[in-house]
Amino acid sequence: MAERERRSRRQPGGARAVSGPPRGPRPGREEHPPVLPSPKRGTSCERPECYQAEPSGLLECYQCRYLCTARACCQLVEVLLTMLILICSSVSYSSTGGYTGIPNLGGIYYYQYGGAYSGFDGAEGEKAQQLDTQFYQLKLPTARAAMAVGGALMAFSCLLVLVGVLRLPWHFPAWLLLECTLDILIALGFLPALYFYFHLLLDAYDSPVCKERENLYQSKGYQGFSCSVHGAEIAAGLFSCIAIVVFLVSAGLAVRGYKTAHQLREKPVEVYEF
């Protein structure tokens, strides 16, 4: 009988049945509830599957993950393109070109990109310097305007990146509509800006000052002073054309982000990057 009672108290698998009250916590020890990772931000779900481990890495934190989205990539490309427009426009602003007088060398004029050249002296040297200054003054307003536009657009693109990193569109989705409107206006504004940019440049190159300057330098064997648009100005125009496409793509992504933000605010089950 004793053997049967011992067998009946055993459970299948060789485990013994526990009789009596459950054991309490051991003395001297405190029982702590299990610690779960923090839930995904922007959600109201409290289920265990809604929790995720804290991300690690520079671009995996909550704010910096925005830099891996399509909108952020477009905005970073905008920053790069507008910076290149600013650099190419500054070439015409920073370079007066031509020769500068060195009084200690007795009227010899030095070309600022090369060595000494004694072809210009006396009246011809003063004439070359005067034509360089006049031609520089003709191109100066256009160069200043292009630099101002490039700098302003670069600052605007940097502001959009900062706003996205701070998650302002998630709290105020109407910002995305404003961003879309501004992107479209900028893209459309590039068209007349490009027209007036090259129109004013061609007017400067077709001026009598440029023609006289070109003939003067060609008489001394110089071929780099022709009255035509140079490479930096052409590059500024090409970068502007690419910027038009990028700003239009950014406007479309802003509209998509606005729709996504509204859907998530109505049903905040899972946060998507937008």
Side-chain angles (χ1 to χ4, degrees):
M1 296 294 292
E3 185 65 24
R4 288 183 179 178
E5 291 178 359
R6 283 196 298 269
R7 290 180 179 177
S8 63
R9 291 179 182 179
R10 294 180 182 272
Q11 293 181 347
R16 293 185 177 180
V18 180
S19 60
R23 295 182 181 180
R26 295 183 181 180
R29 280 193 174 184
E30 296 183 359
E31 294 292 332
H32 297 280
V35 179
L36 292 175
S38 60
K40 298 178 182 179
R41 299 191 180 185
T43 64
S44 60
C45 181
E46 298 180 355
R47 296 175 295 176
E49 57 267 21
C50 293
Y51 289 79
Q52 62 179 2
E54 290 295 334
S56 59
L58 178 61
L59 293 179
E60 295 180 359
C61 64
Y62 179 69
Q63 285 80 10
C64 297
R65 278 186 298 174
Y66 171 76
L67 298 177
C68 299
T69 61
R71 281 183 59 239
C73 290
C74 275
Q75 291 165 358
L76 292 175
V77 173
E78 292 170 6
V79 174
L80 177 61
L81 290 174
T82 51
M83 181 177 65
L84 291 174
I85 293 172
L86 175 62
I87 293 173
C88 293
S89 303
S90 65
V91 173
S92 299
Y93 177 80
S94 61
S95 175
T96 57
Y99 291 80
T100 54
I102 307 296
N104 295 331
L105 297 180
I108 298 176
Y109 288 82
Y110 271 61
Y111 184 55
Q112 65 178 1
Y113 301 116
Y117 181 72
S118 59
F120 291 103
D121 56 353
E124 286 187 346
E126 294 178 359
K127 184 66 174 179
Q129 189 177 16
Q130 182 181 5
L131 291 175
D132 289 335
T133 304
Q134 292 177 357
F135 182 66
Y136 173 74
Q137 294 295 330
L138 288 176
K139 294 175 61 178
L140 186 59
T142 306
R144 284 179 175 175
M147 290 176 61
V149 172
L153 292 179
M154 184 176 67
F156 173 73
S157 301
C158 292
L159 177 63
L160 292 183
V161 175
L162 178 62
V163 167
V165 169
L166 297 178
R167 299 290 175 170
L168 181 63
W170 170 252
H171 301 287
F172 303 100
W175 169 265
L176 293 171
L177 295 180
L178 177 61
E179 179 181 333
C180 173
T181 304
L182 293 176
D183 286 338
I184 294 176
L185 290 178
I186 291 172
L188 296 179
F190 263 112
L191 299 177
L194 280 174
Y195 170 77
F196 285 109
Y197 177 71
F198 285 106
H199 179 72
L200 294 175
L201 283 178
L202 292 177
D203 285 345
Y205 285 119
D206 290 337
S207 63
V209 174
C210 183
K211 299 295 183 182
E212 184 178 0
R213 177 175 177 264
E214 179 184 8
N215 294 332
L216 181 61
Y217 280 111
Q218 283 182 352
S219 65
K220 299 299 180 180
Y222 280 95
Q223 302 296 328
F225 297 90
S226 60
C227 294
S228 59
V229 182
H230 60 70
E233 295 164 348
I234 296 175
L238 292 177
F239 291 139
S240 300
C241 294
I242 300 174
I244 293 175
V245 179
V246 175
F247 274 102
L248 290 177
V249 173
S250 181
L253 293 175
V255 173
R256 190 184 70 175
Y258 176 78
K259 295 179 180 179
T260 304
H262 261 282
Q263 292 175 0
L264 294 177
R265 292 175 74 89
E266 293 175 359
K267 297 181 180 181
V269 177
E270 187 175 358
V271 175
Y272 297 93
E273 301 297 333
F274 62 91

